[in-house]
């Protein structure tokens, strides 16, 4: 009997010894020890695992997600889902065997959110967006995109926030915080220096260390430190001769050592040959997944090119991510987020972010009951958002005719009918010759001058909508994109001349994804409104602004130059005059195979201020229907940097909000510095006429620092600092001073040091 019990006990012990641990948040290392080499390798490669990764559409509970991680059932490791996109969740709207359509909310694009200069508003928007991620069963939203607006022609600028890293970084932090408040993750992207779409898979961005640290990495740093995104997405491009996804300097030394990032790093969607180098550099997950990547990892561990320690480090990062996800928690998603409530959030966000660029003789607001002649094919074919990963399958898009009617205006029916007839004709013409339906926006079409003259006589005002769209995979052109087309210029000239002759006002609405040229034609308009690409409810928000239901309070997150070549970066950017050049032999092609960021730190307003270049509209500019006074500036030195406050008073006749910007120039001497740099910003509540609010700011000594390349450190200079409280980069309203009594230095890793 004793012998039998002894044998039974031995068998039970053996059974326990070989039992598989079930993954929990507390036993990750135990699970890693129990995994085979092949299991570890597959966990580091996305779930597509097919050479045809670019054609994969995920099936299962989250159809149309961009990618996933691979499950390992024996450890209780589930599949997790990664979904686009920055202005709304992008999933497949239809499902086999189901009659329902699974729509998502089309929110304002990133550039419009940044135009709010309101982190609380951004967080409100992305809290709603994150709820849709959760309730449709996804685990990570592949956003926000935060790359700097280096040049107006970048095709994905609409996804990004600003030319300034402080505005970009703080808006990104609010975006991340809002999404992740739903216990789903974000993937801040594209890390780093992904500032053009031309040859985006292979272009080598050649950037000085100072420009990297101060401009192109600083916004990522702010967001990572403040909001702790679950994941970071490395970009396609090379950086100073090395793919970012294979750069230990970028992914380990900067991201983890300097900034303290503890999450997971994934690639952008592709399959580069250097998988082994990516693993060693600290790129944990290869997306969307390719069988060869798994094979490379296994072979490299076996022959010693990847150590077990490095492999386990990356697997640990992936598992730490997985245990946070709704999929791991077994969350029972509803597939039924409150889209009606979210549409209201989208409308509010658009209205609070729209920028009023021009308002001669208080043209706006209108009374709200005028009869309007509405010009421009974009008044019907309204651009809610960009293309590519930024697209959203939304239930509807309110167009400008509908938005203005909803606001109480009467729309002359002849023009919408004219544009709709053209769209129908175009579709019929394409069909009869066997072409696919048009999947891009319609170009502007002429309107006869005699028709405009007739409309000027029977309408109270004209609204001209100028539309642009852009997206993933290509950059914009100068001709007919940054600049007006011949048809658009003729239309605007004729409308302006004929309506002004009749004593009527002309309003232009810029329904654009990126900066366009305005200096040559803005005098033709009495008012110019900039809603960018404002989401599915954006036209209703425009109507609210035009009718005075909402006082515009948006401000520009980037400069509008007079001409394209006023940007220093334009001399090293793939505009159409170089994009179609043919390579001679194996000679690398400038701005295509490599791009020199020769302008250094002189990006956006830093350049225009420093070199005295005239602009059409400065960074931070935006008008209001009321006026504001800035008073009682207080600036005090602290143990670490300074604190500041200013009182803003509404001195006009209607309620409104004001965005306040804090600019600081460095003391003279030492490194060459910009004339001034944005260091903080804030926005008032809705102030009634005569009402005041005091805004307060805190800026650390580190936030005042510049990067000394020679010493490889951040340096905050000793001396007197003047703090400017401003309504734009060109309009300092009042000032205060403080003294930094001693210089400060902050060491960093040796990343990028040759």
């Amino acid at each position: 009997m004793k012998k039998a019990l002894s044998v039974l006990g031995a068998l039970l012990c053996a059974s326990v010894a070989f039992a598989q641990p079930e993954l929990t948040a507390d036993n990750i290392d135990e699970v890693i020890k129990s995994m085979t080499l092949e299991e570890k390798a597959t966990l580091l490669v996305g779930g597509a695992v097919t050479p045809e990764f670019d054609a994969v559409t995920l099936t299962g509970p989250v159809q149309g997600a961009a990618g996933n991680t691979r499950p390992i059932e024996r450890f209780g490791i589930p599949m997790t889902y990664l979904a686009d996109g920055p202005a709304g969740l992008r999933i497949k709207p239809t499902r086999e065997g189901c009659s329902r359509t699974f729509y998502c909310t089309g929110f304002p694009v990133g550039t419009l959110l940044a135009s709010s200069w309101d982190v609380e508003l951004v967080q409100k928007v992305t809290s709603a967006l994150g709820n849709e991620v959760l309730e449709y069963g996804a685990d990570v939203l592949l956003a926000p995109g935060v790359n700097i607006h280096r040049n107006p022609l970048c095709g994905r600028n609409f996804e990004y926030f600003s030319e300034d890293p402080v505005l970009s970084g703080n808006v990104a932090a609010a975006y991340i915080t809002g999404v992740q408040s739903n216990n789903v993750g974000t993937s801040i992207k594209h890390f780093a220096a992904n500032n053009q779409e031309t040859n985006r898979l292979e272009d080598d961005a050649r950037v000085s260390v100072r420009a990297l640290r101060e401009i192109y990495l600083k916004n990522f740093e702010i967001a990572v430190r403040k909001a702790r995104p679950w994941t970071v997405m490395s970009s396609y491009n090379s950086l100073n001769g090395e793919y970012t996804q294979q750069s230990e300097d970028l992914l380990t030394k900067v991201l983890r050592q300097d900034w303290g990032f503890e999450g997971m790093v994934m690639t952008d969607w592709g399959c580069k040959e250097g998988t082994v180098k990516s693993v060693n550099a600290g790129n944990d997950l290869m997306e969307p997944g390719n069988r060869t990547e798994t094979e490379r990892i296994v072979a490299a561990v076996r022959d010693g090119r990847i150590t077990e320690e490095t492999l386990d480090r990356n697997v640990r990062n992936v598992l730490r991510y997985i245990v946070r996800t709704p999929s791991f928690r077994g969350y029972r998603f509803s597939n039924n987020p409150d889209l009606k409530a979210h549409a209201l959030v989208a409308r509010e966000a658009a209205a609070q972010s729209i920028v009023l660029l021009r308002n001669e003789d208080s043209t706006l607001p209108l009374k709200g009951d005028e009869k309007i002649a509405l010009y421009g094919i974009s008044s019907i074919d309204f651009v809610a958002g960009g293309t590519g990963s930024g697209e959203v399958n939304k239930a509807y898009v309110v167009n400008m005719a509908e938005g203005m009617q909803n606001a109480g205006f009467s729309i002359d029916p002849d023009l919408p009918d004219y544009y709709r007839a053209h769209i129908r004709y175009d579709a019929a013409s394409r069909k009869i010759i066997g072409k696919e339906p048009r999947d891009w926006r319609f170009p502007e079409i002429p309107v006869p001058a005699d028709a405009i003259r007739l409309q000027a006589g029977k309408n109270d005002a004209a609204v001209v909508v100028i539309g642009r769209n852009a997206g993933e995979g290509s950059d914009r052109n100068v001709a007919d994109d940054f600049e007006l087309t011949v048809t658009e210029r003729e239309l605007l000239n004729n409308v302006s001349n004929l309506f002004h002759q009749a004593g009527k006002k002309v309003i232009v609405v810029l329904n654009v994804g990126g900066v366009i040229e305005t200096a040559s034609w803005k005098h033709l308009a009495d008012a110019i409104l900039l809603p960018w690409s404002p989401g599915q409810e954006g036209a209703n928000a425009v109507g609210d602004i035009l009718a005075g239901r909402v006082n515009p309070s948006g401000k520009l997150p980037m400069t509008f130059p007079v001409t394209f070549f006023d940007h220093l970066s334009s001399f090293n950017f793939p505009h159409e005059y170089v994009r179609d050049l043919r390579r001679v032999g194996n000679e690398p092609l400038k701005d295509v195979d490599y791009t020199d960021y020769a302008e250094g730190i002189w990006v956006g307003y830093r350049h225009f201020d420093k070199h005295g270049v005239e602009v059409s509209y400065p960074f931070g500019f935006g008008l209001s229907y009321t006026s504001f006074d800035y008073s009682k500036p207080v600036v005090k030195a602290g143990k670490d940097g300074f604190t500041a406050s200013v009182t803003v008073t509404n001195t006009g006749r209607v309620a409104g909000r004001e965005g306040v910007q804090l600019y600081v120039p460095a003391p003279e001497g030492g490194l060459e510095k910009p004339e001034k740099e944005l260091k903080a910003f804030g926005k008032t509540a809705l102030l009634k006429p005569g009402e005041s609010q005091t805004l307060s700011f805190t800026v650390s000594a580190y936030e005042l620092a510049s990067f000394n390349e020679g010493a490889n450190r951040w340096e905050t200079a000793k001396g007197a600092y003047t703090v400017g409280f401003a309504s734009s980069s060109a309009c300092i309203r009042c000032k205060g001073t403080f003294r930094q009594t001693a210089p400060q230095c902050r060491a960093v890793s040796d990343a990028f040091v040759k």
Side-chain angles (χ1 to χ4, degrees):
M1 185 67 178
K2 288 183 179 179
K3 185 176 180 181
L5 289 174
S6 177
V7 171
L8 180 60
L11 290 172
L12 287 172
C13 289
S15 175
V16 171
F18 288 96
Q20 302 300 324
E22 186 88 2
L23 179 66
T24 70
D26 300 320
N27 73 344
I28 289 174
D29 285 340
E30 181 186 353
V31 170
I32 291 173
K33 288 177 183 178
S34 301
M35 294 174 74
T36 66
L37 170 58
E38 288 74 13
E39 286 172 330
K40 292 177 182 179
T42 55
L43 198 62
L44 300 186
V45 178
V49 194
T50 168
E52 296 79 27
F53 59 86
D54 58 345
V56 167
T57 299
L58 286 177
T59 59
V62 193
Q63 295 185 26
N68 64 323
T69 60
R70 298 194 74 204
I72 303 178
E73 292 182 6
R74 75 188 188 102
F75 295 111
I77 299 173
M79 179 182 292
T80 69
Y81 294 89
L82 318 170
D84 293 323
L89 181 66
R90 187 172 74 142
I91 57 174
K92 192 175 180 181
T94 57
R95 300 177 185 177
E96 189 174 346
C98 180
S99 60
R100 181 186 163 193
T101 305
F102 297 83
Y103 290 118
C104 298
T105 304
F107 293 97
V109 298
T111 299
L112 183 57
L113 290 181
S115 298
S116 73
W117 293 71
D118 185 346
V119 293
E120 292 181 359
L121 178 72
V122 173
Q123 190 169 327
K124 181 176 181 180
V125 170
T126 57
S127 293
L129 171 52
N131 175 258
E132 295 188 19
V133 176
L134 177 67
E135 293 303 334
Y136 276 130
D139 297 286
V140 167
L141 183 72
L142 299 172
V146 303
N147 293 100
I148 291 294
H149 288 207
R150 174 178 177 252
N151 188 273
L153 296 191
C154 176
R156 296 182 84 168
N157 274 353
F158 72 94
E159 290 188 37
Y160 305 148
F161 295 126
S162 176
E163 70 186 28
D164 180 82
V166 169
L167 178 58
S168 174
N170 282 284
V171 170
Y175 185 111
I176 292 164
T177 299
V179 173
Q180 293 188 171
S181 68
N182 294 274
N183 293 315
V184 295
T186 57
S187 189
I188 190 171
K189 62 183 187 180
H190 306 86
F191 193 57
N194 185 180
N195 306 103
Q196 67 184 59
E197 289 297 288
T198 301
N199 196 26
R200 62 179 178 156
L201 300 183
E202 300 295 332
D203 179 61
D204 181 22
R206 300 177 178 178
V207 194
S208 73
V209 177
R210 183 181 181 187
L212 267 178
R213 291 280 192 175
E214 291 190 18
I215 305 294
Y216 298 102
L217 298 181
K218 177 57 70 173
N219 52 342
F220 284 97
E221 178 183 4
I222 292 169
V224 166
R225 289 185 185 275
K226 285 192 171 185
R228 299 185 179 276
W230 286 15
T231 78
V232 169
M233 184 190 295
S234 56
S235 55
Y236 288 124
N237 57 284
S238 293
L239 176 59
N240 294 331
E242 186 174 43
Y243 289 121
T244 61
Q245 64 183 246
Q246 299 169 14
S247 172
E248 183 180 3
D249 280 354
L250 186 66
L251 303 183
T252 296
K253 292 181 179 179
V254 170
L255 182 60
R256 296 193 186 275
Q257 294 177 19
D258 290 343
W259 301 349
F261 178 68
E262 296 179 343
M264 180 180 73
V265 176
M266 70 178 79
T267 66
D268 204 339
W269 267 228
C271 179
K272 295 189 183 294
E273 292 183 2
T275 305
V276 174
K277 191 174 181 183
S278 292
V279 171
N280 284 323
N283 207 122
D284 305 305
L285 177 64
M286 313 299 150
E287 281 292 344
N290 188 296
R291 185 170 290 107
T292 59
E293 294 174 301
T294 307
E295 294 167 353
R296 290 169 186 162
I297 293 170
V298 170
V301 174
R302 286 176 174 163
D303 66 21
R305 286 175 293 146
I306 298 175
T307 67
E308 288 278 359
E309 181 183 11
T310 296
L311 180 70
D312 289 352
R313 175 199 67 184
N314 291 18
V315 171
R316 187 176 297 108
N317 289 333
V318 175
L319 291 177
R320 284 175 175 168
Y321 148 71
I322 288 173
V323 298
R324 305 177 74 177
T325 62
S327 290
F328 180 78
R329 299 194 308 270
Y331 181 76
R332 296 184 179 181
F333 55 91
S334 67
N335 270 325
N336 194 33
D338 192 343
L339 298 183
K340 289 184 178 180
H342 295 172
L344 294 177
V345 172
R347 178 173 179 169
E348 177 195 1
Q352 293 295 328
S353 306
I354 289 171
V355 185
L356 180 61
L357 292 177
R358 184 177 174 87
N359 197 23
E360 296 300 293
D361 299 323
S362 298
T363 295
L364 297 178
L366 300 173
K367 294 177 182 179
D369 58 359
E370 290 90 343
K371 187 172 184 181
I372 302 294
L374 187 56
Y375 295 92
I377 200 162
S378 292
S379 64
I380 299 302
D381 186 28
F382 196 70
V383 182
T387 63
S389 63
E391 289 182 293
V392 183
N393 294 309
K394 41 203 173 287
Y396 62 89
V397 174
V398 179
N399 65 36
M400 276 295 298
E402 295 165 337
M404 295 192 70
Q405 287 171 332
N406 292 340
F409 297 101
S410 175
I411 302 300
D412 188 323
D414 293 342
L415 285 162
D417 288 349
Y418 174 67
Y419 292 122
R420 291 189 188 100
H422 174 78
I423 291 172
R424 289 194 299 270
Y425 174 78
D426 181 270
S429 299
R430 296 176 72 81
K431 183 177 180 180
I432 202 170
I433 60 176
K435 284 189 177 182
E436 292 294 321
R438 189 185 294 271
D439 61 356
W440 66 94
R441 66 172 304 277
F442 289 84
E444 195 54 77
I445 58 174
V447 178
D450 286 345
I452 297 172
R453 183 176 291 106
L454 178 64
Q455 289 146 1
K458 63 177 183 174
N459 290 285
D460 299 314
V463 172
V464 182
V465 184
I466 295 175
R468 293 286 186 275
N469 206 355
E472 187 174 6
S474 62
D475 292 311
R476 299 168 57 208
N477 288 335
V478 178
D480 298 341
D481 193 341
F482 175 76
E483 299 172 344
L484 296 186
T485 67
V486 171
T487 301
E488 288 168 336
R489 197 172 292 274
E490 181 181 20
L491 174 66
L492 190 54
N493 269 306
N494 287 342
V495 169
S496 178
N497 290 335
L498 294 170
F499 270 77
H500 286 158
Q501 286 175 16
K504 312 289 179 64
K505 299 292 187 180
V506 176
I507 299 134
V508 172
V509 174
L510 296 179
N511 178 209
V512 298
V515 172
I516 70 170
E517 186 273 321
T518 57
S520 69
W521 59 263
K522 62 185 180 182
H523 64 283
L524 298 174
D526 299 291
I528 301 174
L529 208 58
L530 174 64
W532 299 107
S533 300
Q536 68 185 56
E537 284 282 339
N540 276 334
V542 174
D544 291 337
I545 296 285
L546 292 174
R549 295 177 181 176
V550 177
N551 189 343
S553 60
K555 298 198 174 188
L556 291 178
M558 79 291 294
T559 308
F560 272 51
V562 173
T563 72
F564 172 67
F565 284 103
D566 287 341
H567 274 281
L568 285 178
S569 62
S570 294
F571 296 94
N572 293 279
F573 190 89
H575 49 82
E576 68 266 36
Y577 305 121
V578 299
R579 197 181 301 151
D580 295 329
L581 291 178
R582 296 293 179 262
R583 190 174 287 101
V584 178
N586 294 322
E587 189 71 20
L589 191 58
K590 178 182 179 293
D591 302 334
V592 176
D593 294 318
Y594 67 93
T595 301
D596 289 324
Y597 287 47
E599 68 279 2
I601 65 170
W602 309 111
V603 178
Y605 71 89
R606 288 168 169 80
H607 155 61
F608 294 108
D609 285 355
K610 177 72 174 178
H611 301 105
V613 180
E614 181 185 358
V615 301
S616 185
Y617 294 108
F619 176 77
F621 177 82
L623 300 174
S624 172
Y625 295 157
T626 190
S627 56
F628 298 95
D629 177 66
Y630 290 43
S631 63
K632 302 176 183 177
V634 177
V635 178
K636 294 181 179 180
K639 292 181 180 179
D640 178 25
F642 71 93
T643 59
S645 64
V646 68
T647 298
V648 178
T649 303
N650 184 343
T651 56
R653 298 182 178 179
V654 297
R657 304 182 67 199
E658 173 71 342
V660 177
Q661 303 153 43
L662 217 67
Y663 292 94
V664 183
E668 294 184 3
L671 298 172
E672 185 180 16
K673 306 287 183 67
E675 292 291 313
K676 59 182 176 295
E677 294 182 285
L678 182 73
K679 294 301 178 184
F681 60 91
K683 195 167 185 177
T684 69
L686 185 68
L687 300 179
K688 298 176 183 178
E691 190 174 5
S692 298
Q693 182 179 348
T694 298
L695 297 180
S696 299
F697 311 88
T698 300
V699 178
S700 70
Y702 177 57
E703 291 171 298
L704 294 171
S706 298
F707 193 77
N708 186 329
E709 244 181 88
N712 192 44
R713 66 187 186 188
W714 290 96
E715 295 179 349
T716 305
K718 172 185 177 180
Y721 287 78
T722 299
V723 178
F725 301 89
S727 56
S728 78
S729 64
C731 187
I732 306 296
R733 304 291 295 275
C734 58
K735 298 178 180 180
T737 61
F738 78 98
R739 176 167 290 278
Q740 179 75 25
T741 57
Q744 289 194 17
C745 299
R746 182 164 179 160
V748 295
S749 68
D750 63 356
F752 312 117
V753 175
K754 301 299 183 182

